Amino acid sequence: MTPDTAACGPPLAQARCGTPTATVLIDDQALEEFLNAAIGEYQLITAEAPLPCFALLLGQTEAEAFHVRRVVFGRNARTSAPAAREEFSETIVPRFGPAYENEHRGWWMDSADLLKAFREAEEAGLDLLGSIHMHPDWHRIGPSPARDHVLSERPTPMDRHLFGQTGWPLNLICYLERRSGVFYHALAAWTPSAPDAPAGSECTELDLRVRTSTLLRA
């Protein structure tokens, strides 16, 4: 199995599945902040510790668009929260394989940090839209058993499961790889599919646009 780092946690009452026609707009500063954190974690990855990087997305739900303004980081309660331990031991490990017994695989947002982020969003007049997490090129830097499971910006089976569990309308996956000392990334946006969607279509890809900060001179 791949070391995907999707998030899980207590669903928010206001969370709703997004519409497949929505476009995701993300501010470049928010993306840069996440990439800096993701690169920092990537550099600490070992074969025993495929470290995750995860953040919440704050922004606004506009006409046919989700506009991401900020990212908010929090603590991983993957091994400390009773609900997280139960989810991984009773659902994730039996369904997706014993590799997920590794405490570094998977993310469960600390409930206190989740509440803090929700309050921060309210105070700023923003919505808690969902999450973003990193997929490293584990098939290139991980141990031999990982070579057959190629990661990308597309969701893994566990990602799709957790997207549905949280019910957050927006889920971004940032694929990060390093070649000859240089980092490259790809980004994609996903929303849980409607309850009446055909089997096997647990999430739908959304159009994604990153704000361009370059100033053009005439």
Side-chain angles (χ1 to χ4, degrees), residues 9-33:
L12 300 178
Q14 74 278 15
R16 296 291 185 272
C17 294
T19 168
T21 60
T23 297
V24 179
L25 310 174
I26 181 170
D27 286 358
D28 54 316
Q29 291 181 340
L31 179 57
E32 181 179 358
E33 184 176 357

Side-chain angles (χ1 to χ4, degrees), residues 6-82:
C8 195
L12 300 178
Q14 74 278 15
R16 296 291 185 272
C17 294
T19 168
T21 60
T23 297
V24 179
L25 310 174
I26 181 170
D27 286 358
D28 54 316
Q29 291 181 340
L31 179 57
E32 181 179 358
E33 184 176 357
F34 179 79
L35 284 171
N36 286 336
I39 288 172
E41 292 300 315
Y42 182 105
Q43 293 173 321
L44 299 175
I45 287 176
T46 67
E48 295 74 28
L51 299 176
C53 187
F54 167 84
L56 296 173
L57 303 171
L58 305 188
Q60 295 152 329
T61 304
E62 303 172 348
E64 298 184 350
F66 296 117
H67 194 154
V68 178
R69 301 285 191 178
R70 300 181 189 174
V71 295
V72 177
F73 299 93
R75 294 166 292 179
N76 189 358
R78 158 81 168 83
T79 60
S80 59

